Amino acid sequence: QVHLRQSGAEVKKPGASVKVSCQASGYIFTTQGISWVRQAPGQGLEWMGWIGPYNGDTHSAQNFQGRVTMTTDTSTSTAYLELRTLRFDDTAVYFCARMRNGGLDVWGQGATVTV
Amino acid sequence: DIQLTQSPSTLSSSVGDRVTITCRASQSFSSWLAWYQQKPGKAPKLLIYKASILEDGVPSRFSGSGSGTEFTLTISSLQPDDFATYYCQQYNPYSLTFGPGTKVDIK
């Protein structure tokens, strides 16, 4: 069964950085991209960027360019999202999701980041 | 970047109703459009991809259609489990965008 397991909740001060992990299981990690999506309290979904584990290629949304780093560790089938210079409005649930056929077919459980 | 709008933003409906949600794009794009259902405190669930293909395990009362700049999600007969928020999402090779969401609640 395909599964994405994310790291736990984080509480950070403004200006700090946070790193969220997303461990995949049940499929060959390098065959599908991983997207990161966040959702602020009571708000909609906001795409942050994606990474192709097969080559490490990344594309981030304009809103986050320069402040976000996405990486993978293929030896552990884990993707990472680092967000720097945190602001109060970065408080949100951060999701990872597998990309397939233009959609996001498997989602992690979400990691709450409170700034 | 392509921007997406959804209408209506809220839909009050009853069990058994036929429900249609529209997603409009700021410019035409290929049919890489997906639909999701999200319930409070849960991750979104993929319903439809490539505008009209039903994801495995999704009930057949859900259907998607459209092309160009206008796409629709239809629920043929609303069930109690369907009260949720629905999002459209477009994909191009380098970015994704979500619509603002449509909340379907009980009339």
Side-chain angles (χ1 to χ4, degrees):
Chain A
Q1 186 180 4
V2 177
H3 192 62
L4 298 176
R5 184 180 66 173
Q6 296 187 233
S7 49
E10 303 262 12
V11 179
K12 297 291 184 181
K13 294 187 184 301
S17 298
V18 68
K19 193 169 187 176
V20 178
S21 68
C22 170
Q23 186 171 36
S25 59
Y27 74 101
I28 300 172
F29 181 64
T30 51
T31 59
Q32 306 291 345
I34 294 285
S35 261
W36 291 92
V37 177
R38 76 177 185 181
Q39 187 168 38
Q43 302 300 307
L45 302 170
E46 181 178 24
W47 179 74
M48 300 180 69
W50 70 263
I51 183 166
Y54 27 87
N55 59 7
D57 198 20
T58 61
H59 297 277
S60 56
Q62 206 160 8
N63 286 351
F64 299 99
Q65 286 177 6
R67 211 159 64 92
V68 71
T69 300
M70 293 170 285
T71 56
T72 58
D73 180 347
T74 56
S75 69
T76 59
S77 299
T78 303
Y80 298 92
L81 172 78
E82 182 182 31
L83 186 61
R84 298 179 292 278
T85 319
L86 289 168
R87 308 185 293 245
F88 290 118
D89 63 0
D90 290 318
T91 294
V93 177
Y94 288 75
F95 294 102
C96 61
R98 187 178 76 163
M99 298 173 65
R100 188 175 68 89
N101 293 320
L104 306 176
D105 68 335
V106 179
W107 291 67
Q109 81 275 20
T112 301
V113 175
T114 303
V115 182
Chain B
D1 285 357
I2 296 175
Q3 306 301 316
L4 300 178
T5 59
Q6 288 183 232
S7 58
S9 55
T10 305
L11 190 54
S12 295
S13 298
S14 302
V15 172
D17 283 354
R18 181 181 181 87
V19 165
T20 298
I21 299 168
T22 300
C23 178
R24 291 186 176 88
S26 57
Q27 59 186 276
S28 181
F29 64 101
S30 62
S31 296
W32 293 98
L33 187 105
W35 289 97
Y36 301 85
Q37 176 193 71
Q38 188 181 31
K39 297 181 180 179
K42 300 292 187 182
K45 173 186 175 183
L46 179 65
L47 301 174
I48 303 277
Y49 62 94
K50 287 186 180 177
S52 62
I53 301 175
L54 200 65
E55 176 71 348
D56 289 346
V58 174
S60 59
R61 62 181 180 272
F62 292 92
S63 64
S65 65
S67 63
T69 60
E70 189 163 315
F71 299 83
T72 59
L73 172 71
T74 299
I75 309 172
S76 60
S77 177
L78 199 65
Q79 298 302 300
D81 191 47
D82 301 338
F83 292 99
T85 300
Y86 294 84
Y87 295 92
C88 59
Q89 169 248 305
Q90 70 82 27
Y91 165 80
N92 72 46
Y94 302 110
S95 72
L96 282 71
T97 311
F98 288 96
T102 295
K103 184 176 182 180
V104 177
D105 62 20
I106 300 172
K107 185 185 288 184

